[in-house]
């Protein structure tokens, strides 16, 4: 028994655990009910907290309207009922909840709020009544005062107008207080008796008295306005008399006496100005009164006239006083320290002032006197500027002394008074001319110095230098960069020197210096242009003679270039070390470059002759630029070097396939990837133009033999197989030949439906080709089908057209006008494809064209074909004309494909020279290409 544990025993019982869970679940539900009951007290608690925040001062400060008070009183009474009906205790499930204490805490709150609102109503009503009564009594007192003059009437009138606007607000305030006292009566509040008595027996009657007093004031308004109008008219007349008196005193004799002392006159005029300002102030006030009363404004034109007259006289005498001070100061100042800018500004200012004053003061002798003083210094001003010119040099000063017959110009401390005694104004023109000459010469010398600093440096100016760059990362090999900046500086300096030389002031030593610089600049310009030309030729030839193959073929030219190359590199190293343009010209590097450039141009001329020889041996070289041809010749031992340029020489040979030995050309490949083995294999060895001539010959031979094979296979094999077993170009041409044979046979047949039956066969052939397009084809095969369907569609349309036109003989124009292809023997065992149209006959060109697309042939295309073939038969040229983008070029190219002739499309531009066109036409003439 000592080891028994009741807790462990109970925990082991399953039923005990179930009971325990049930009890916990039941207790949780009971606590939820208790929590819900507690939540019912949250609303009353919030009401209680809001009530505690209510303060009397807060209400009285807000001055709420009576309806707000009534709403609040009603709210607090409802709160009283709610709190009184609150239960003191309640059984909630297992719990007995006691709420007596919280009810006792909440219940007094509404009653306290009611008392605070009552107190606020009483305070606001008493304060508003007191304020209203005080304002009404003050207004009654001011209305009772009768205005004695205009100033009193202005104040009384303004108050009367303001009171008329204020009266509705006073009545509203009275109504507000009245409603507050009604609330006290409704709530049976204890209000002091004297407060109610003050409102009922004093405020109300006094407000009514105010309404009556305001009405009486309105009745007396017209009489008072008439009295004020009369008084204002009298005052305006007084101002007019005062102004006439001021005007009369402004004409005091001392004001017009040029001998008068300035101080008394200025004092007298300043006193008059002060009186005028007083009149102005009174005039403004009286006009404001008239505007207030609604009277017509009275004008006082005399005021402006007197102001202008007295003001100008005061300005005149103040100017006389100030000018006397300035003139005395200037006369005693030495020429070197005289402020000419300040002197000129003062002269301009006094000139403007005299212009203003003279318009109103016409008979005052002081005005011309002041003008004579100002004119004296104005006439002196050019002389002073001339003598103070910093550009004056010793020979200029000598000319001035000779003109004035004195040494004043060489004494910087000479006072202005001494200049006036020598009458320097009489020599104004001579002195200004000497000064102008000095200024012009100084300007020209500064321009010359600017040019000199640009090229030789000095005064912190960076000299003009060549930009030198490393050439192709080669050691100690340099070339000039852009020389645009150098040429720009040369042009600018040239313009400056030309401007100097065109000036009549450029004389003597200055002209000699300018002419020397002009020659130097022209020399530098010619040298730079020659230098850039030499560099261009050197860079071009350097890339050519770098090839050992070129050196082997042209040893003499290579030797000459080697000498120039050595000199070039030596000169450019010196330029790299000393890039100053002027220094380089002083070392005569320009002359060396000129001599070198002549040798390079000789080499270029010889190269052009050598290249012309190569082109004559293989005319298709004419279609290559000199750079492309040199690229081929420099790698003549490498047959692959020709590959990038094949499309420029042949219509559609892009790649030549070489044999295992790297020398035999075994096949040609088009840009579309078509591979055609050559019938004979030229050796790509030796001079490149020789084996290219063989390549051209074997290309023609290969296509001619393959054409014969294709024609022989056509009748023995299914057409859908046959088209994929031969070169694309020959498939199109042989199909054309076979079609022409069938059409000719059908036309010549005695069966009238033969041509129509052949037309049906054409439809069947087209259907078969269309079916083939749905099969899995290579890109090359699909291109062939596209071109073949294009030509077969045109052939079908031609058959339908000839059926409609009832062509019955091969001599009918309906058949003769078509471009016809035939296979005809030319000798023993030889046969060729011939193309005919009308009377024109052409041999198939056998230019390899690969698998190029064909143009859709329209009736306009047929007419162009007919026109071109007719012109060629007559030995003429043909050139379609028409708007851009209409197919002129493409039509000619497509016709060349039919004839198997090389067609070269060449776009002209501004860069095309006559020599380029000469080479181009030579190639066309020698190859027979279009």
């Amino acid at each position: 028994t000592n080891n028994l544990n009741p807790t462990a025993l109970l925990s082991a019982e399953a039923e005990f655990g179930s009971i325990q869970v049930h009890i916990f679940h039941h207790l949780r539900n009971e606590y939820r009910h208790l929590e819900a009951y507690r939540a019912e007290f949250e609303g009353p608690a919030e009401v209680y907290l809001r009530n505690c925040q209510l303060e009397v001062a807060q209400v009285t400060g807000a001055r709420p309207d009576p309806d707000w008070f009534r709403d609040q009183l009603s709210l607090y009474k409802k709160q009283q009922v709610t709190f009184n009906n609150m239960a003191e205790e309640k059984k909630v499930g297992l719990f007995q909840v006691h709420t007596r204490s919280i009810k006792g805490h909440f219940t007094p709150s509404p009653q306290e709020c009611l008392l605070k609102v009552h107190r606020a109503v009483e305070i606001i009503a008493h304060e508003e009544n007191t304020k209203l009564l005080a304002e009404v009594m003050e207004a009654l007192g001011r209305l009772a005062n009768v205005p004695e003059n205009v100033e009193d009437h202005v104040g009384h009138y303004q108050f009367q107008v303001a009171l008329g606007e204020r009266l509705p607000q006073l009545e509203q305030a009275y109504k507000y207080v009245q409603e507050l006292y009604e609330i006290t009566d409704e709530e049976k509040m204890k209000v002091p008796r004297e407060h109610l008595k003050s409102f009922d027996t004093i405020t109300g009657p006094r407000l009514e008295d105010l309404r009556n007093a305001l009405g009486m004031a309105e009745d007396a308004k017209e009489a008072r306005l008439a009295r004020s109008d009369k008084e204002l008219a009298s005052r305006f007349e007084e101002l007019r008399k005062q102004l006439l008196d001021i005007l009369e005193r402004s004409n005091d004799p001392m004001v017009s006496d040029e001998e008068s002392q300035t101080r008394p006159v200025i004092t007298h005029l300043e006193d008059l100005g002060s009186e005028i300002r007083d009149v102005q102030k009174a005039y403004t006030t009286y006009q404001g009164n008239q505007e207030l009363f609604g009277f017509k404004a009275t004008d006082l034109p005399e005021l402006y006239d007197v102001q202008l007259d007295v003001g100008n006289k005061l300005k005149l005498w103040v100017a006389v006083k100030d000018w006397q001070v300035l003139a005395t100061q200037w006369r005693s100042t030495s020429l070197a320290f005289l402020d000419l800018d300040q002197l000129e500004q003062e002269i301009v200012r006094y000139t403007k002032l005299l212009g203003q004053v003279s318009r109103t003061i016409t008979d005052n002798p002081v005005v011309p006197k002041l003008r004579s003083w100002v004119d004296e210094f104005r006439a002196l001003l050019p002389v002073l500027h001339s003598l103070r010119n910093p550009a004056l040099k010793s020979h200029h000063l000598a000319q001035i002394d000779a003109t004035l017959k004195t040494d004043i110009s060489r004494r910087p401390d000479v006072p202005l008074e001494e200049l006036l005694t020598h009458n320097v104004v009489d020599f104004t023109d001579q002195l200004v001319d000497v000064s102008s000459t000095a200024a012009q010469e100084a300007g020209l010398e500064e321009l010359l110095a600017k040019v000199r600093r640009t090229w030789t440096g000095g005064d912190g100016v960076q000299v003009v230098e060549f930009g030198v760059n490393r050439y192709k990362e080669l050691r100690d090999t340099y070339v000039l960069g852009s020389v645009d900046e150098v040429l720009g500086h040369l042009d600018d300096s040239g313009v400056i020197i030309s401007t100097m030389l065109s000036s009549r002031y450029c004389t003597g030593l200055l002209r000699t210096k300018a002419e020397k610089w002009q020659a130097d600049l022209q020399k530098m310009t010619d040298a730079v242009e020659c230098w850039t030309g030499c560099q261009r030729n050197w860079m071009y030839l350097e890339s050519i003679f770098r090839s050992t193959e070129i050196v082997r073929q042209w040893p003499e030219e290579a030797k000459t270039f080697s000498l120039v190359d050595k000199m070039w590199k030596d000169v450019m190293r010196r330029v790299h070390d000393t890039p100053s343009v002027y220094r380089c010209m002083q070392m005569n590097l320009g002359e060396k470059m000129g001599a070198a450039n002549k040798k390079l141009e000789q080499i270029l001329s010889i190269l052009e002759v050598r290249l012309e020889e190569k082109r004559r041996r293989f005319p298709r070289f004419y279609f290559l630029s000199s750079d492309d041809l040199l690229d081929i010749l420099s790698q003549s031992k490498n047959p692959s070097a020709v590959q990038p340029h094949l499309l420029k020489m042949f219509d559609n040979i892009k790649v030549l396939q070489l044999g295992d030995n790297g020398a035999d050309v075994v096949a040609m490949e088009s840009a579309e990837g078509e591979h055609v083995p050559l019938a004979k294999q030229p050796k790509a060895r030796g001079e490149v133009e020789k084996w290219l001539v063989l390549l051209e010959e074997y290309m023609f031979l290969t296509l001619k033999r393959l054409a014969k094979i294709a024609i022989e296979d056509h009748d023995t094999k299914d057409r859908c197989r046959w088209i994929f077993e031969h070169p694309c170009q020959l498939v199109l041409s042989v199909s054309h030949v076979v079609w022409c044979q069938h059409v000719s046979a059908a036309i010549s047949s005695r069966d009238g439906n033969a041509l129509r039956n052949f037309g049906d066969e054409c439809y069947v052939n087209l259907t078969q080709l269309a079916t083939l397009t749905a099969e899995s084809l290579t890109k090359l095969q699909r291109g062939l089908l596209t071109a073949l369907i294009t030509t077969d569609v045109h052939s079908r349309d031609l058959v339908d057209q000839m059926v409609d036109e009832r062509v019955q003989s091969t001599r009918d124009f309906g058949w003769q006008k078509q471009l016809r292809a035939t296979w005809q023997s030319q000798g023993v065992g030889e046969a060729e494809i011939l193309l005919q149209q009308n009377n024109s006959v052409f041999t198939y060109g056998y230019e390899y064209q690969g698998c190029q697309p064909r143009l859709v042939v329209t009736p306009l295309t047929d007419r162009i074909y007919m026109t071109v073939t007719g012109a060629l038969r007559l030995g003429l040229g043909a050139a379609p004309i028409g708007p851009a983008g209409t197919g002129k070029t493409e039509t000619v190219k497509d016709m060349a494909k039919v004839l198997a002739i090389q067609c070269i499309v060449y776009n002209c531009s501004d860069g095309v020279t006559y020599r380029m066109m000469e080479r181009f036409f030579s190639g066309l003439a020698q190859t027979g290409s279009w």
Side-chain angles (χ1 to χ4, degrees):
T1 59
N2 292 333
N3 296 328
L4 290 177
N5 186 345
T7 302
L9 292 175
L10 290 174
S11 299
E13 291 291 333
E15 186 177 357
F16 175 77
S18 175
I19 295 172
Q20 190 178 28
V21 170
H22 178 72
I23 292 173
F24 286 155
H25 177 71
H26 186 69
L27 287 175
R28 276 197 299 270
N29 289 337
E30 293 299 326
Y31 274 108
R32 288 196 189 97
H33 296 318
L34 187 63
E35 180 64 24
Y37 182 63
R38 184 202 63 78
E40 295 178 4
F41 288 89
E42 290 180 357
E46 292 178 0
V47 171
Y48 171 76
L49 293 174
R50 283 198 302 270
N51 291 347
C52 292
Q53 296 174 358
L54 183 65
E55 297 293 339
V56 175
Q58 179 184 3
V59 178
T60 57
R63 289 294 196 268
D65 58 69
D67 290 338
W68 183 86
F69 284 111
R70 289 189 173 93
D71 292 340
Q72 293 301 113
L73 291 171
S74 175
L75 175 65
Y76 295 137
K77 289 176 182 178
K78 291 179 181 178
Q79 289 178 5
Q80 278 184 325
V81 174
T82 301
F83 288 162
N84 289 332
N85 293 335
M86 187 180 295
E88 295 184 354
E89 62 179 29
K90 183 178 180 180
K91 188 174 187 312
V92 181
L94 297 175
F95 302 96
Q96 184 72 23
V97 181
H98 297 275
T99 57
R100 184 180 295 106
S101 60
I102 195 169
K103 177 182 179 181
H105 195 67
F106 286 171
T107 301
S109 172
Q111 182 60 33
E112 293 174 359
C113 290
L114 285 172
L115 294 176
K116 291 178 181 180
V117 173
H118 288 171
R119 179 59 182 160
V121 170
E122 178 186 347
I123 292 173
I124 293 174
H126 177 63
E127 290 178 352
E128 290 295 318
N129 181 54
T130 302
K131 183 171 68 172
L132 175 62
L133 181 58
E135 186 174 352
V136 170
M137 295 304 294
E138 180 185 0
L140 285 171
R142 294 188 65 176
L143 285 178
N145 294 330
V146 178
E148 298 294 335
N149 51 39
V150 173
E151 287 74 19
D152 293 343
H153 189 197
V154 169
H156 191 276
Y157 185 84
Q158 290 175 336
F159 177 73
Q160 182 179 340
V161 173
L163 183 60
E165 298 173 353
R166 175 65 177 162
L167 187 59
Q169 299 176 4
L170 295 176
E171 292 176 344
Q172 186 65 30
Y174 178 79
K175 182 178 179 182
Y176 177 70
V177 176
Q178 187 179 29
E179 290 191 25
L180 291 180
Y181 278 122
E182 288 177 358
I183 291 175
T184 61
D185 186 54
E186 293 170 1
E187 294 293 319
K188 296 182 174 49
M189 295 167 49
K190 295 181 180 180
V191 179
R193 184 176 299 173
E194 58 273 16
H195 293 180
L196 291 173
K197 182 178 179 182
S198 172
F199 176 72
D200 292 336
T201 61
I202 300 176
T203 303
R206 293 289 80 76
L207 184 60
E208 184 61 31
D209 293 342
L210 181 62
R211 294 192 191 95
N212 296 332
L214 185 60
M216 293 173 64
E218 286 291 330
D219 295 338
K221 177 179 178 181
E222 295 299 328
R224 291 172 179 171
L225 287 175
R227 187 166 60 254
S228 295
D229 188 18
K230 183 177 180 181
E231 183 175 351
L232 284 173
S234 174
R235 291 190 180 187
F236 276 115
E237 188 61 31
E238 291 177 3
L239 292 178
R240 187 173 288 106
K241 292 179 180 179
Q242 188 176 352
L243 287 172
L244 293 176
D245 177 66
I246 293 172
L247 182 61
E248 183 178 354
R249 284 185 286 153
S250 70
N251 292 324
D252 189 284
M254 67 175 179
V255 178
S256 302
D257 186 1
E258 59 186 43
E259 301 298 331
S260 298
Q261 297 294 320
T262 57
R263 186 68 264 170
V265 177
I266 292 174
T267 302
H268 174 66
L269 293 174
E270 286 178 344
D271 293 341
L272 294 180
S274 178
E275 293 181 25
I276 293 173
R277 287 191 293 273
D278 294 339
V279 172
Q280 172 71 45
K281 183 177 179 181
Y283 174 68
T284 303
T285 302
Y286 296 160
Q287 275 200 329
N289 295 339
Q290 286 182 324
E291 183 180 359
L292 176 66
F293 295 145
F295 300 156
K296 181 180 178 181
T298 301
D299 293 329
L300 195 63
E302 297 84 356
L303 176 60
Y304 174 77
D305 296 338
V306 173
Q307 277 180 327
L308 184 62
D309 184 75
V310 174
N312 284 338
K313 289 176 179 177
L314 180 60
K315 288 180 182 179
L316 175 63
W317 279 96
V318 170
V320 169
K321 178 180 73 69
D322 293 343
W323 182 265
Q324 290 174 344
V325 174
L326 287 172
T328 302
Q329 178 184 347
W330 291 336
R331 289 174 184 274
S332 61
T333 304
S334 63
L335 180 62
F337 297 101
L338 195 62
D339 189 347
L340 296 184
D341 291 338
Q342 187 255 347
L343 174 61
E344 188 171 359
Q345 291 173 3
E346 291 297 334
I347 290 174
V348 172
R349 185 170 70 85
Y350 276 89
T351 301
K352 290 182 179 178
L353 185 143
L354 283 168
Q356 296 172 358
V357 171
S358 60
R359 283 194 289 269
T360 57
I361 305 175
T362 56
D363 55 352
N364 194 323
V366 179
V367 175
K369 181 178 182 179
L370 179 59
R371 180 176 284 109
S372 66
W373 293 347
V374 175
D375 290 343
E376 179 185 13
F377 276 88
R378 181 187 294 107
L380 185 62
L381 196 58
V383 175
L384 298 178
H385 278 297
S386 298
L387 295 177
R388 284 278 301 275
N389 189 347
L392 293 174
K393 294 185 178 180
S394 58
H395 63 283
H396 301 125
L397 296 176
Q399 293 179 22
I400 293 174
D401 290 344
T403 301
L404 299 177
K405 297 180 181 180
T406 181
D407 62 346
I408 287 179
S409 63
R410 298 180 183 276
R411 289 192 289 122
D413 59 342
V414 61
L416 184 60
E417 183 68 31
E418 186 174 346
L419 290 177
L420 294 174
T421 60
H422 284 82
N423 296 323
V424 293
V425 177
D426 297 341
F427 305 97
T428 299
D429 293 340
Q430 296 91 322
L431 296 178
V432 169
D433 185 59
V434 173
S435 177
S436 175
T437 300
Q440 291 292 337
E441 290 178 359
L444 295 177
E445 289 177 354
E446 176 58 30
L447 290 176
L448 187 62
K450 179 181 178 182
V451 172
R452 184 175 60 253
R453 289 193 298 269
T454 299
W455 299 104
T456 63
D459 295 337
V461 178
Q462 179 68 34
V463 299
V464 180
E465 296 180 345
F466 283 120
V468 181
N469 302 325
R470 187 181 294 276
Y471 180 67
K472 294 184 178 179
E473 302 302 323
L474 298 177
R475 182 182 178 184
D476 293 336
T477 303
Y478 304 96
V479 292
L480 293 180
S482 174
V483 296
D484 292 343
E485 184 178 355
V486 175
L487 292 175
H489 283 294
L490 286 170
D491 290 341
D492 295 342
S493 299
V495 170
I496 292 174
I497 296 299
S498 298
T499 303
M500 288 180 59
L501 293 174
S502 64
S503 173
R504 65 185 181 91
Y505 299 100
C506 185
T507 59
L509 182 61
L510 181 60
R511 173 169 285 273
T512 302
K513 293 179 180 179
E515 289 174 347
K516 181 181 182 303
W517 268 105
Q518 186 180 43
D520 290 344
L521 291 173
Q522 185 59 46
K523 180 180 178 182
M524 285 192 286
T525 302
D526 295 340
V528 170
E529 292 177 352
C530 179
W531 202 323
T532 54
C534 181
Q535 175 172 292
R536 182 170 53 253
N537 293 334
W538 175 83
M539 294 173 64
Y540 177 70
L541 293 174
E542 191 275 339
S543 62
I544 295 174
F545 286 102
R546 190 187 304 171
S547 169
T548 56
E549 186 63 25
I550 295 292
V551 173
R552 183 187 63 80
Q553 294 182 41
W554 302 322
E556 292 298 327
E557 291 77 9
K559 182 179 179 180
T560 304
F561 176 77
S562 177
L563 296 175
V564 175
D565 182 66
K566 181 179 179 181
M567 185 277 297
W568 171 268
K569 293 179 180 179
D570 179 62
V571 169
M572 289 308 301
R573 279 195 294 270
R574 295 171 65 185
V575 174
H576 177 265
D577 297 335
T578 308
S580 170
V581 176
Y582 191 74
R583 292 279 301 277
C584 290
M585 296 304 139
Q586 295 300 313
M587 293 186 290
N588 296 323
L589 298 184
E591 287 80 353
K592 294 182 179 179
M593 286 298 172
N597 196 31
K598 290 181 180 179
K599 293 181 179 180
L600 294 178
E601 288 178 351
Q602 292 175 357
I603 297 173
L604 286 172
S605 300
I606 296 173
L607 282 181
E608 194 64 31
V609 173
R610 299 293 174 82
L611 293 178
E612 180 66 21
E613 293 175 357
K614 298 290 184 180
R615 289 187 173 106
R616 288 177 181 175
R617 294 176 185 174
F618 183 60
R620 294 188 186 234
F621 277 160
Y622 281 109
F623 305 135
L624 295 179
S625 66
S626 296
D627 292 340
D628 291 342
L629 181 53
L630 286 169
D631 181 54
I632 294 174
L633 297 177
S634 64
Q635 306 177 69
S636 58
K637 292 184 178 181
N638 179 17
S640 299
V642 180
Q643 306 275 20
H645 309 287
L646 286 172
L647 286 176
K648 299 177 183 178
M649 296 184 290
F650 296 91
D651 198 84
N652 199 8
I653 298 179
K654 184 178 181 182
V655 178
L656 294 177
Q657 183 178 346
L658 302 177
D660 295 336
N661 59 2
D664 295 340
V665 180
V666 298
M668 53 188 176
E669 186 175 317
S670 70
E672 299 80 25
E674 184 181 45
H675 183 82
V676 178
L678 291 172
K680 291 186 178 182
Q681 300 176 357
K683 302 288 185 180
R685 294 174 181 169
E687 296 181 356
V688 65
E689 64 273 15
K690 292 183 178 180
W691 65 263
L692 283 175
V693 169
L694 290 176
L695 174 65
E696 180 184 31
E697 180 183 344
Y698 294 164
M699 173 188 72
F700 295 151
L701 177 63
T702 299
L703 291 179
K704 186 179 294 187
R705 290 183 178 180
L706 292 176
K708 181 179 180 181
I709 295 172
I711 289 177
E712 292 172 351
D713 286 352
H714 184 274
D715 295 332
T716 60
K717 293 184 180 179
D718 179 65
R719 189 168 187 250
C720 293
R721 283 182 51 205
W722 173 82
I723 60 176
F724 294 138
E725 294 179 356
H726 299 277
C728 300
Q729 170 186 352
L730 296 178
V731 169
L732 296 174
S733 299
V734 171
S735 295
H736 189 196
V737 170
V738 172
W739 177 81
C740 290
Q741 291 175 349
H742 289 172
V743 172
S744 180
I747 294 174
S748 302
S749 174
R750 295 182 179 180
D751 185 358
N753 293 324
L755 188 59
R756 187 183 303 276
N757 294 334
F758 179 65
D760 295 337
E761 185 180 341
C762 291
Y763 277 94
V764 173
N765 290 337
L766 272 174
T767 302
Q768 292 175 349
L769 294 179
T771 304
L772 281 177
T773 59
E775 297 183 3
S776 177
L777 303 173
T778 63
K779 183 178 180 181
L780 184 64
Q781 291 174 335
R782 192 167 297 279
L784 169 61
L785 273 179
T786 302
L788 188 58
I789 289 174
T790 302
T791 56
D792 279 11
V793 166
H794 178 59
S795 300
R796 178 205 62 190
D797 294 341
L798 290 180
V799 172
D800 292 342
Q801 180 183 352
M802 287 186 287
V803 170
D804 295 338
E805 294 177 355
R806 300 180 182 276
V807 175
Q808 298 178 354
S809 172
T810 55
R811 295 184 179 182
D812 287 352
F813 183 69
W815 175 241
Q816 289 290 320
K817 71 178 181 179
Q818 307 302 333
L819 185 59
R820 310 181 304 280
T822 59
W823 179 256
Q824 295 184 7
S825 299
Q826 299 293 317
V828 180
E830 292 291 332
E832 299 241 24
I833 298 177
L834 297 181
L835 292 113
Q836 301 174 348
Q837 191 169 32
N838 292 333
N839 296 329
S840 305
V841 180
F842 304 93
T843 302
Y844 191 74
Y846 298 102
E847 177 76 21
Y848 179 62
Q849 296 172 339
C851 185
Q852 299 185 49
R854 296 296 293 271
L855 193 67
V856 174
V857 181
T858 65
L860 178 60
T861 309
D862 286 330
R863 288 198 295 274
I864 292 176
Y865 285 0
M866 191 159 43
T867 304
V868 173
T869 54
L872 293 177
R873 177 179 176 274
L874 297 175
L876 302 175
I881 62 173
T886 54
K888 303 182 296 298
T889 302
E890 294 302 321
T891 300
V892 174
K893 288 168 60 179
D894 199 67
M895 186 174 181
K897 293 174 185 176
V898 176
L899 299 178
I901 296 175
Q902 183 184 18
C903 182
I904 300 171
V905 179
Y906 188 77
N907 293 318
C908 294
S909 65
D910 295 339
V912 177
T913 64
Y914 76 94
R915 289 196 175 276
M916 295 171 63
M917 294 303 298
E918 177 187 4
R919 288 200 302 267
F920 190 72
F921 285 131
S922 295
L924 293 177
Q926 296 181 46
T927 60
S929 301
W930 287 9

